[in-house]
Amino acid sequence: MGTPTFIGYSGAVNRNGSNNEFNINNDDPVTLIISPNTSAPDGGDLTLTAGDTNTLFTIVASDGTEIVANLDGALLEYGDTGIMEDGLSHQYVIITVGGIDYMFLLDVSDPTDPSITNPFSNGNSNPLDPDPSGGDPGDSVTVCFLNGTLILTPDGEKRVEDLVVGDQVISLSGTAQKLIWVGAREMRGSHARKHAPIRITANAFGAGLPLRDLLVSPQHRVLITDWRAELLFGVSEVLVPAKHLVNDSTIRVETGLQEFSYHHILFEQHETVFSEGLPTESFHPGEMAMAALETETRAELLSLFPELVDHMGIDRPQSHMSLKGFESRGLAAV
């Protein structure tokens, strides 16, 4: 079963309703060693829960002193951070051991590694939400299609997970556009539940729109063609995040999936493509979208396209006008 080891910090959660943070107590990192409680009736495990008694922690200070040894620890919370001091978003876990809270990052086991920028370098400002400027927490998974989604190509519909770099996809303009990068992210268990996709049922927007049920990430934007868009925004077609289209009937959060994968497709420019017959956007590598990618996926994309490093904070051209949350709600209210 092993004994996973992480380097993290002790501190306290500060939730003030806007900028939720984990403020560390000092600048000294601690080593957290996780092990199963073999004396438990089931032999112990490494699964953290709120009332955990099957998992033990040994916590060692930076000078080698054991703070606690083989003590029960409990999960306080987990999720995705906002942009930390290294310019990235990370998957975090906060546990309580011996009455003290500790935070560590699942995707950066050693933030003190001198070859990287320590995400915790500003100890009193570790954002606990994907968008510390006021976005919805829990939506850090970026624009993705669920595995099994059929994408229209010149050779007919293909599953998104079968597309490879160099394949061509039909865009809304009717032209074939070449894929320059594809990416994927596995979702399981609690992470799958936290980032549950949006299910858009067949014909939700009219006959054949979509042709079959379509599942996308909450932030994935759908092209809406509507007289209300023309009235409010002066254009007949707008992109709207799927989460803002939820009506708990024909469009709803799909909470029953325990394991799936999200897939990204990238072209030379932002495109609108056909997924299950419905016009939806391709991956758009803006700052927040890049930060939401897993570390290895982000590194792969930046190694292929290093110019993105210098352009992540710049507004890149989009295929259509994209509505913000309040604009989406305004559209629905008309």
Side-chain angles (χ1 to χ4, degrees):
M1 191 176 296
T3 53
T5 299
F6 296 90
I7 293 180
Y9 294 84
S10 64
V13 177
N14 173 32
R15 291 202 173 276
N16 57 20
S18 57
N19 297 317
N20 302 316
E21 300 171 342
F22 184 85
N23 297 329
I24 66 178
N25 289 337
N26 52 53
D27 295 329
D28 294 327
V30 296
T31 299
L32 302 102
I33 304 167
I34 309 173
S35 60
N37 183 357
T38 55
S39 64
D42 62 358
D45 58 40
L46 298 176
T47 302
L48 299 178
T49 62
D52 209 326
T53 58
N54 294 342
T55 309
L56 299 177
F57 285 86
T58 295
I59 301 176
V60 182
S62 58
D63 64 1
T65 303
E66 276 194 351
I67 300 173
V68 299
N70 294 320
L71 195 65
D72 279 339
L75 177 68
L76 183 63
E77 65 174 89
Y78 68 95
D80 295 283
T81 72
I83 303 302
M84 297 184 74
E85 290 302 304
D86 60 350
L88 303 174
S89 174
H90 298 281
Q91 298 174 34
Y92 75 89
V93 175
I94 300 175
I95 58 171
T96 297
V97 183
I100 299 175
D101 297 341
Y102 298 89
M103 178 177 176
F104 62 90
L105 304 178
L106 286 176
D107 55 350
V108 184
S109 60
D110 183 3
T112 66
D113 183 340
S115 67
I116 64 173
T117 299
N118 189 338
F120 292 94
S121 56
N122 185 357
N124 288 321
S125 180
N126 299 292
L128 298 183
D129 296 323
D131 183 357
S133 65
D136 293 337
D139 287 330
S140 64
V141 173
T142 188
V143 175
C144 335
F145 298 101
L146 210 75
N147 57 291
T149 300
L150 295 179
I151 306 295
L152 184 62
T153 78
D155 299 319
E157 293 180 313
K158 292 185 178 180
R159 295 188 309 173
V160 65
E161 63 266 38
D162 294 333
L163 295 174
V164 298
V165 172
D167 282 352
Q168 293 189 324
V169 172
I170 299 298
S171 71
L172 185 65
S173 65
T175 59
Q177 302 295 327
K178 184 183 295 186
L179 282 169
I180 63 172
W181 177 78
V182 296
R185 182 173 182 178
E186 297 293 330
M187 311 296 285
R188 294 185 179 89
S190 60
H191 212 56
R193 293 189 294 273
K194 179 179 176 63
H195 300 289
I198 304 299
R199 179 182 291 275
I200 303 174
T201 59
N203 307 313
F205 296 105
L209 296 172
L211 293 165
R212 297 163 292 273
D213 284 11
L214 169 67
L215 288 100
V216 296
S217 59
Q219 295 284 16
H220 202 135
R221 293 175 291 193
V222 175
L223 187 67
I224 302 297
T225 302
D226 197 297
W227 63 267
R228 293 171 295 181
E230 181 77 42
L231 175 67
L232 294 175
F233 308 109
V235 293
S236 59
E237 297 177 324
V238 291
L239 289 169
V240 181
K243 66 177 184 177
H244 294 312
L245 297 170
V246 170
N247 57 19
D248 295 327
S249 176
T250 57
I251 305 173
R252 59 185 184 273
V253 179
E254 179 53 74
T255 58
L257 300 179
Q258 296 299 312
E259 183 175 343
F260 57 89
S261 56
Y262 275 134
H263 296 261
H264 324 287
I265 57 175
L266 177 66
F267 302 91
E268 288 286 354
Q269 61 186 17
H270 191 224
E271 299 286 353
T272 300
V273 300
F274 294 95
S275 53
E276 305 293 0
L278 185 68
T280 54
E281 68 170 328
S282 65
F283 179 68
H284 182 253
E287 184 174 17
M288 285 306 296
M290 291 294 291
L293 295 176
E294 288 184 315
T295 302
E296 290 183 2
T297 303
R298 186 188 311 112
E300 175 193 358
L301 182 55
L302 292 178
S303 69
L304 292 171
F305 308 103
E307 65 274 13
L308 291 178
V309 174
D310 298 324
H311 294 86
M312 279 166 49
I314 299 174
D315 288 334
R316 301 168 63 86
Q318 300 186 47
S319 63
H320 294 81
M321 179 181 180
S322 179
L323 300 191
K324 297 179 175 62
F326 71 92
E327 293 172 327
S328 303
R329 291 186 287 272
L331 183 70
V334 175

